[in-house]
Amino acid sequence: MPAKAAGTTTKRADAQRNIAAIVDAATACLSRDPAASTSEIAKAAGVGRVTLYGHFPSRTDLVDAVFVQAIESGEAALSQVDLTGDPREALARLIESSWHLVDRFRSLLVAAQDALPPGRVRELHADPMTRVERLIERGQKEGVFRTDLPTSWLVGSMHSVMHGAAEEINAGRLTPDNAAEYITATVLAAFTPPGERVPGVQR
């Protein structure tokens, strides 16, 4: 390999290592403190601020990269959830798995909501929302989920309850151990057709 090409390859490899170190450090710092500064993150990553800003021109760009990585990690986990069988029991399993991710990344969510436009946060939740939407539609076809409200409204309601639980935990009014149970009970009550008994399900 020519010397120039070898040097370019080395620089690219160094850049990729720096980017990975910065994103990992930002994930750790923002998980501890959603308001963590770029100076703190650069120090934790072992790079200078010039290097950090060379890869992420603004704190918003960095928070976006961190949140994208968190969403991708979550998607990998949620894709393994069994959504077959009774839609209500599948929903309970999905809520429990989703909640573990929300709880794990709730400080990152706070950072994202503070730094990113609301439309961007919704955009990054598109794939998880699609999974919920498909499950709801199957439940509607099988007659166990209500059809008198738009599917988009039901999806949004579940999203709101999930993130509302994170806010309740941050405020000290709810413990993580109880959250999945409360979320499931609330969402199933909202999804059950009017006049029908809200079932208890096994996750």
Side-chain angles (χ1 to χ4, degrees), residues 8-198:
T8 300
T9 300
T10 299
K11 287 180 180 179
R12 287 176 180 166
D14 288 344
Q16 290 302 317
R17 280 193 293 270
N18 283 338
I19 290 170
I22 292 167
V23 172
D24 288 346
T27 299
C29 290
L30 294 171
S31 294
R32 291 192 297 269
D33 176 11
S37 68
T38 52
S39 295
E40 294 174 69
I41 293 168
K43 182 177 180 180
V47 302
R49 292 184 64 192
V50 172
T51 298
L52 185 150
Y53 282 118
H55 296 298
F56 302 99
S58 70
R59 185 176 181 278
T60 297
D61 293 323
L62 178 53
V63 171
D64 189 281
V66 168
F67 202 56
V68 166
Q69 181 170 278
I71 291 290
E72 290 176 349
S73 172
E75 271 299 285
L78 293 179
S79 67
Q80 302 302 312
V81 178
D82 178 14
L83 297 183
T84 61
D86 187 319
R88 294 164 295 190
E89 294 181 359
L91 180 68
R93 291 192 293 272
L94 182 58
I95 287 173
E96 184 167 32
S97 295
S98 298
W99 168 249
H100 288 317
L101 295 170
V102 171
D103 185 39
R104 176 183 170 190
F105 294 126
R106 69 177 187 270
S107 292
L108 297 185
L109 176 63
V110 171
Q113 290 173 329
D114 287 344
L116 306 180
R120 177 58 175 161
V121 175
R122 287 194 297 272
E123 177 187 345
L124 293 175
H125 278 94
D127 287 342
M129 292 296 204
T130 298
R131 181 178 288 103
V132 176
E133 184 177 76
R134 289 173 180 166
L135 179 56
I136 291 174
E137 289 173 346
R138 183 165 73 84
Q140 290 173 326
K141 289 177 182 177
E142 295 181 19
V144 296
F145 292 155
R146 65 193 305 159
T147 58
D148 59 322
L149 295 174
T151 302
S152 60
W153 177 262
L154 298 179
V155 173
S157 297
M158 176 173 160
H159 177 80
S160 296
V161 172
M162 193 85 67
H163 291 291
E167 293 175 4
E168 287 295 292
I169 288 174
N170 289 336
R173 293 189 290 265
L174 180 65
T175 64
D177 290 343
N178 293 329
E181 179 184 351
Y182 288 10
I183 294 165
T184 299
T186 302
V187 172
L188 279 177
F191 285 11
T192 298
E196 294 192 14
R197 184 180 65 85
V198 178

